[in-house]
Amino acid sequence: MAAPNKQATVYIVDLGSTMGECNSGRVETDLDFGMKYIWDKIATTMAANLKGGNLGVIGLRTDETNNPLDVDGYENLSVLRPLGNMEMGHLTSLQTKITPSGTDAGDAISAIVLAIHMITEFTTLKSGKPGSYARKIVLLTDGQGMIEDEGMEQIATKINECGINLVVIGIDFDDNEFGFKEEDKSSLKQRNEGVLRRLTELCENGIVGTAAEAIANLAIPDIKPTRPWSTYKGRLTLGDPQKYETTAMYIDVERYFRAHIAKPVSAKSFVTKIPMESTQSSNTINGDIDMTDAPANGDDFTVVRSSRTYRVNDASAPGGRRDIALEELARGYEYGRTTVHISDSDENVTNFETTQSFSIIGFIPNDKFERYLNMGESRVTIAQPINDKARMAFSSLVHALFELESYAVARIVEKDGKAPQIILLAPSIEPDLESLIDVPLPFAEDLRVYRFPPLDRVITASGSTLKKHRYLPDDDLVGAMSDYVDSMNLSTAGTDEEGQPAEYMNVEETFTPIIHRINQAIRQRAIFPNDPIAPASPILTKWSQPPEDLASQSAHKLEKLIAAANVQKVPPKVKGTRGRREVLKPLSGLDVEALLNREKREKISPNNTIPEFKQMLASPADDNVVYDAAKQIANIIRMHITNSTGNAKYEEVKADMKVFREFMIEFELPEIWNDFIRDFKKRVAKGDLGGDRRAFWNSLRWINLGLIDKEALEISDVTEKEANEFHSLDSDLPTRSRGH
């Protein structure tokens, strides 16, 4: 029977004065220590966002009495939160109520009876029958108050009749399996522990444990069971029953997910609430915020809603652009540089019409299937449960495939109009289930064939094969690698419950870090919004690094491997070359420039700017040479752009500027280039470079010839925002005085 999708859980929290004490060497109170478990469980239920996730909280040993059972024996019990869905506002209000009281009066057994009353009242239908709920009571206590043990048998009977799970979390309760025993325990606490243990033993689903173990187990992620999700219900055919009634066959089957990708929860966008009168209406930019009538989330945030509008150029419309509705848009496809329009009615012709079907198209031996052909998640197909004829036929098919060591290849269309899939069906026989497990197979266009050279030999250009080469590992390297791999064997690196060597990385104990880490962070931030996020649980980071003991034992093997492979440390990449520019010297050590009677380049010719600029900066003696070269190329750039007829010299000037900027980044002298480009911008704005050169200036933005900012060079004093705003010429336009 499937588990109920609705739950009713009541948490009983002991708020007695003794819960405000610090024990067992802890720096936090017993209440804060135990509430770690309660808050985590409440946050987990809230994160599931289930309509049937009903929670209630009862305060035990409270200063006042506030509960529906107004009779003797139920004093100092308060319903802090009635059963129902809990939201962030409720959680914040509840946190203010969870504080130690000033009394020790209040009976834990009476609190359990009150919780039973709340659950039965909440889960009973109008017809008087109990609803389908998962019922649970969690009691958190330090066992320091008075507990009456009369009538426990009747209480346990009622708990069993209602199908309630009773969990008792004791602060510093003794637990031999966990390895904890409190020294110098008071006789009252010893008695109360015995009473609560006896009550849980009388319950069919009762458990008692120490809070330290419960809190330690919070680091282990809860595996959420999922309900079966059917992807296909219909016939599995072999042949076409419509054409070949006597030879074709069909079986009524149902197909479900077997393995499905789990994804982390996605984030949503919120903004701080603002008064409605200051809310701006949505603009025409894609993804604008439209907070009008947006639903509120909590007290301080509002959900972000996006709206999108479309515009087209229209000379007759105000501003030269006209808004159009989505329904007026037509889809076009690129054909070369032309856009080809296809209407929706014509586009339907291109759709592949399919009807729901599931048919076997062939069989293959299981040893011929290559594992890399698996294209995705697996599904499981079973016979229709209520159809005995289908179950008999399906069992015959499964056993035939199993005995012949074969797989079936099938074509499936899950719904009308959906794309067909080719899947591989493998038989699975278990004591209580016979099924076909399938995985999707690729079509011909899904296959990508890549050829790589062999790893054990080198084939030369002439076609000969070499077994020994500098690219191939020698015997010493192969042996060292084999020894190191054997020393890092994880199959015996762990220990079992008896202390014997066991598998270190058990599949059942591995979890997806990204999913559970995000869930842990969300729960913690929901409960403690002002505290920093705690580090990830060790169980999530355990597999990100090898065991320390195993790594230390294998250290000498690793050293031998490094020596055999001749591994050399690569020096860190140096940022910038100012003062460290390497001067290339010939192997002979001779000065080629001196042999050719060449002098060091001191002047740059306008007809050969880039080569001579690079030659001048090949090995500068000091920064003065760099300043001189920069001054010369800047003058040449301004001269070329001034003397350019139209855009004749534009490309040449852009090439000079690109080399100029790159060298200033390399020499870590961004101020030289930035001073030049600022001056160049002012000259363009004033028209001092041979006329209107605005078109040339606007083109520099798209080839990254603006200021050198911190993104390009860390030592620059220009921010990325300043560099982006720099391209505009508006701030440098000359003002004109109006005539009188």
Side-chain angles (χ1 to χ4, degrees):
M1 181 181 295
N5 57 1
K6 295 185 293 184
Q7 66 180 24
T9 303
V10 175
Y11 294 96
I12 304 173
V13 181
D14 191 343
L15 300 178
S17 60
T18 56
M19 291 290 285
E21 300 174 357
C22 300
N23 296 297
S24 300
R26 293 186 294 267
V27 296
E28 57 187 344
T29 64
D30 292 347
L31 179 60
D32 292 338
F33 178 66
M35 284 303 296
K36 291 180 179 179
Y37 175 83
I38 303 297
W39 290 134
D40 189 271
K41 292 301 180 182
I42 291 176
T44 301
T45 303
M46 292 175 60
N49 197 24
L50 298 176
K51 186 177 180 181
N54 304 291
L55 304 175
V57 181
I58 296 175
L60 168 62
R61 294 200 289 169
T62 57
D63 290 324
E64 69 283 346
T65 301
N66 182 14
N67 65 78
L69 301 180
D70 189 11
V71 294
D72 293 339
Y74 294 91
E75 295 82 4
N76 300 102
L77 301 179
S78 298
V79 178
L80 305 180
R81 168 67 188 166
L83 267 171
N85 289 115
M86 187 172 292
E87 300 177 356
M88 287 299 300
H90 304 147
L91 181 63
T92 304
S93 175
L94 180 62
Q95 287 178 317
T96 61
K97 302 175 182 178
I98 303 297
T99 56
S101 66
T103 181
D104 288 333
D107 184 14
I109 301 297
S110 299
I112 293 176
V113 174
L114 175 60
I116 297 172
H117 173 77
M118 291 174 58
I119 290 176
T120 54
E121 288 289 327
F122 186 84
T123 60
T124 301
L125 303 178
K126 294 181 179 179
S127 60
K129 297 181 179 179
S132 178
Y133 283 84
R135 301 169 177 84
K136 188 175 183 180
I137 297 175
V138 179
L139 169 62
L140 173 67
T141 180
D142 62 355
Q144 299 282 13
M146 291 299 299
I147 299 179
E148 297 293 339
D149 57 355
E150 295 182 1
M152 282 202 308
E153 291 75 9
Q154 293 81 357
I155 296 174
T157 302
K158 183 63 176 180
I159 291 175
N160 296 332
E161 290 177 354
C162 297
I164 297 175
N165 294 344
L166 177 61
V167 178
V168 177
I169 305 297
I171 305 295
D172 297 333
F173 276 24
D174 295 342
D175 193 327
N176 296 331
E177 295 183 0
F178 184 67
F180 178 82
K181 180 176 178 61
E182 184 182 15
E183 302 296 337
D184 300 329
K185 183 176 296 186
S186 65
S187 58
L188 175 62
K189 187 171 183 178
Q190 290 180 357
R191 173 189 173 277
N192 290 340
E193 279 191 38
V195 171
L196 294 175
R197 290 184 188 277
R198 190 161 67 254
L199 176 61
T200 56
E201 292 172 357
L202 293 174
C203 298
E204 296 177 357
N205 297 307
I207 186 173
V208 62
T210 185
E213 181 181 10
I215 294 171
N217 291 336
L218 292 178
I220 303 176
D222 292 331
I223 304 301
K224 178 184 176 182
T226 57
R227 299 174 65 86
W229 177 17
S230 175
T231 61
Y232 176 85
K233 290 185 179 181
R235 292 179 173 180
L236 171 63
T237 63
L238 179 59
D240 190 349
Q242 296 181 352
K243 292 183 179 180
Y244 311 102
E245 297 181 359
T246 57
T247 57
M249 58 165 282
Y250 68 85
I251 306 173
D252 293 321
V253 297
E254 296 179 0
R255 184 168 176 258
Y256 297 88
F257 271 102
R258 186 172 186 267
H260 193 47
I261 296 177
K263 298 180 180 179
V265 294
S266 59
K268 294 183 179 180
S269 299
F270 297 88
V271 295
T272 306
K273 276 187 178 181
I274 57 178
M276 294 298 294
E277 56 270 17
S278 62
T279 303
Q280 298 179 354
S281 60
S282 62
N283 300 324
T284 57
I285 305 174
N286 291 352
D288 281 335
I289 297 176
D290 179 11
M291 294 179 290
T292 306
D293 298 331
N297 180 68
D299 298 328
D300 301 322
F301 300 101
T302 301
V303 180
V304 174
R305 290 170 45 185
S306 299
S307 63
R308 178 175 297 177
T309 58
Y310 301 88
R311 283 184 172 183
V312 295
N313 295 329
D314 188 353
S316 61
R321 304 185 73 182
R322 175 170 56 88
D323 293 344
I324 60 174
L326 177 63
E327 293 75 15
E328 300 180 25
L329 297 179
R331 183 172 298 179
Y333 298 87
E334 291 185 0
Y335 183 70
R337 295 189 176 182
T338 306
T339 302
V340 178
H341 163 61
I342 299 179
S343 62
D344 293 340
S345 58
D346 294 335
E347 192 173 4
N348 291 332
V349 180
T350 65
N351 295 333
F352 185 63
E353 296 183 1
T354 58
T355 57
Q356 187 183 42
S357 61
F358 189 7
S359 58
I360 296 175
I361 58 178
F363 302 92
I364 61 169
N366 55 17
D367 58 350
K368 298 298 183 182
F369 172 65
E370 301 292 347
R371 295 287 180 177
Y372 64 84
L373 295 177
N374 180 5
M375 291 288 288
E377 303 167 336
S378 62
R379 312 287 195 275
V380 59
T381 301
I382 62 174
Q384 194 176 69
I386 59 175
N387 190 333
D388 293 337
K389 181 179 179 181
R391 293 171 61 186
M392 182 66 70
F394 188 81
S395 177
S396 301
L397 174 62
V398 172
H399 280 270
L401 291 173
F402 180 80
E403 294 172 4
L404 296 176
E405 298 181 348
S406 299
Y407 295 152
V409 179
R411 177 184 183 272
I412 185 171
V413 178
E414 296 178 350
K415 294 180 180 180
D416 292 346
K418 198 170 183 179
Q421 278 187 314
I422 302 298
I423 60 176
L424 184 81
L425 298 169
S428 175
I429 301 176
E430 299 179 6
D432 56 348
L433 180 65
E434 295 176 348
S435 61
L436 292 174
I437 300 173
D438 67 80
V439 292
L441 295 176
F443 288 92
E445 57 268 22
D446 295 325
L447 291 177
R448 301 290 186 271
V449 179
Y450 299 98
R451 297 186 180 277
F452 299 94
L455 300 177
D456 59 344
R457 61 190 183 279
V458 173
I459 301 176
T460 64
S462 60
S464 59
T465 302
L466 302 178
K467 292 292 186 180
K468 292 186 177 181
H469 192 270
R470 61 191 179 96
Y471 291 154
L472 297 177
D474 55 17
D475 294 339
D476 293 339
L477 180 57
V478 172
M481 177 60 75
S482 178
D483 293 340
Y484 178 66
V485 171
D486 292 340
S487 66
M488 290 294 290
N489 184 11
L490 296 178
S491 62
T492 57
T495 55
D496 57 14
E497 297 178 354
E498 299 177 356
Q500 300 297 322
E503 178 71 33
Y504 176 76
M505 191 173 181
N506 192 351
V507 176
E508 287 75 14
E509 297 178 357
T510 57
F511 306 94
T512 305
I514 185 173
I515 295 177
H516 300 292
R517 173 58 176 154
I518 290 177
N519 290 340
Q520 288 177 352
I522 292 173
R523 292 198 301 269
Q524 184 179 359
R525 180 49 56 88
I527 301 170
F528 308 108
N530 298 323
D531 294 349
I533 301 298
S537 302
I539 196 170
L540 299 180
T541 59
K542 179 180 179 180
W543 317 117
S544 61
Q545 52 193 2
E548 294 182 1
D549 296 342
L550 196 62
S552 60
Q553 295 174 7
S554 306
H556 66 286
K557 301 287 186 182
L558 180 59
E559 294 176 357
K560 292 182 179 180
L561 175 61
I562 293 174
N566 192 25
V567 177
Q568 302 293 333
K569 185 176 181 180
V570 178
K573 185 177 180 181
V574 180
K575 294 184 178 180
T577 57
R578 183 177 184 179
R580 300 182 296 273
R581 187 174 179 86
E582 182 181 1
V583 180
L584 300 178
K585 295 181 179 180
L587 297 177
S588 61
L590 301 175
D591 189 347
V592 178
E593 298 291 338
L595 293 175
L596 296 177
N597 295 323
R598 292 181 181 174
E599 298 180 355
K600 296 294 183 180
R601 175 67 58 186
E602 295 182 357
K603 298 294 181 181
I604 301 175
S605 171
N607 299 324
N608 194 27
T609 306
I610 294 177
E612 294 182 3
F613 177 73
K614 292 181 177 180
Q615 185 180 356
M616 188 172 180
L617 297 182
S619 56
D622 51 33
D623 286 350
N624 292 329
V625 178
V626 180
Y627 288 126
D628 185 29
K631 182 178 180 180
Q632 292 187 51
I633 195 173
N635 291 332
I636 292 173
I637 290 172
R638 287 191 287 264
M639 181 188 68
H640 281 328
I641 198 68
T642 302
N643 298 334
S644 175
T645 303
N647 60 358
K649 289 278 189 178
Y650 283 6
E651 295 303 320
E652 181 181 349
V653 172
K654 290 177 183 178
D656 295 344
M657 296 175 72
K658 182 178 181 181
V659 174
F660 183 15
R661 187 177 187 273
E662 290 175 351
F663 267 72
M664 293 305 100
I665 294 176
E666 184 177 355
F667 281 92
E668 296 185 354
L669 293 170
E671 63 275 5
I672 296 179
W673 167 263
N674 290 342
D675 292 343
F676 159 75
I677 199 66
R678 289 189 179 104
D679 176 75
F680 189 84
K681 176 184 176 182
K682 292 179 181 179
R683 294 173 185 264
V684 171
K686 295 179 180 179
D688 294 344
L689 296 177
D692 187 2
R693 303 296 181 182
R694 296 172 183 272
F696 173 78
W697 173 261
N698 292 332
S699 66
L700 298 182
R701 179 171 192 169
W702 312 114
I703 55 176
N704 196 23
L705 287 179
L707 292 171
I708 299 176
D709 57 10
K710 293 183 179 294
E711 185 72 18
L713 191 63
E714 293 182 359
I715 65 173
S716 174
D717 57 355
V718 178
T719 64
E720 185 177 0
K721 181 180 179 181
E722 293 173 349
N724 292 332
E725 295 174 351
F726 174 74
H727 291 284
S728 175
L729 280 171
D730 295 341
S731 59
D732 294 298
L733 288 176
T735 58
R736 297 181 181 179
S737 59
R738 296 183 179 180
H740 297 285

